[in-house]
Amino acid sequence: MAFKQMENIGNFLKGVGDYGVPTISQFQTVDLYERTNMAQVIGCLWALAGHAQTKGFAGPHWGVKIADKNVREFDEQTLRQGANVLPQQAGYTGGATQAGMTAYGTSRHM
């Protein structure tokens, strides 16, 4: 009986892999059979639900849909314009200073 149950779990994992769920999202057979890593089993079911929504499953939805690919093509002029933008991460803060700030531990005068 145990061999048949483990074989069924293995068949499920093969089907999940063929359906498109990545190996990193799948669980090991012993995780379910011995109930040692049920979080991984549930994570696999979430991943399977997301792939089912992506492939057009019309039944009840569980989990989130896997994002569609969004490839963008920019021409050379647009790429050159982006090189001239100075992002906030570069250290420029728009002239903000710490003028008027009090030191730590000093009281506020109201």
Side-chain angles (χ1 to χ4, degrees), residues 4-68:
K4 191 63 175 169
Q5 290 173 343
M6 291 181 76
E7 184 181 5
N8 284 340
I9 295 170
N11 290 338
F12 170 79
L13 290 173
K14 183 181 181 319
V16 165
D18 292 344
Y19 197 66
V21 176
T23 308
I24 193 75
S25 298
Q26 297 178 22
F27 59 91
Q28 299 292 319
T29 303
V30 294
D31 292 342
L32 178 59
Y33 183 74
E34 295 178 0
R35 297 181 186 150
T36 55
N37 193 357
M38 293 305 290
Q40 185 68 27
V41 174
I42 293 170
C44 178
L45 294 175
W46 278 90
L48 176 61
H51 283 304
Q53 289 181 40
T54 302
K55 295 189 182 226
F57 177 67
H61 297 308
W62 185 52
V64 295
K65 179 182 170 189
I66 305 297
D68 296 327

Side-chain angles (χ1 to χ4, degrees), residues 71-99:
V71 180
R72 298 176 184 190
E73 298 291 331
F74 295 108
D75 59 349
E76 249 339 282
Q77 180 184 4
T78 306
L79 292 174
R80 272 187 266 129
Q81 286 175 349
N84 297 330
V85 175
L86 182 64
Q88 293 291 334
Q89 296 172 345
Y92 178 72
T93 58
T97 65
Q98 291 183 348

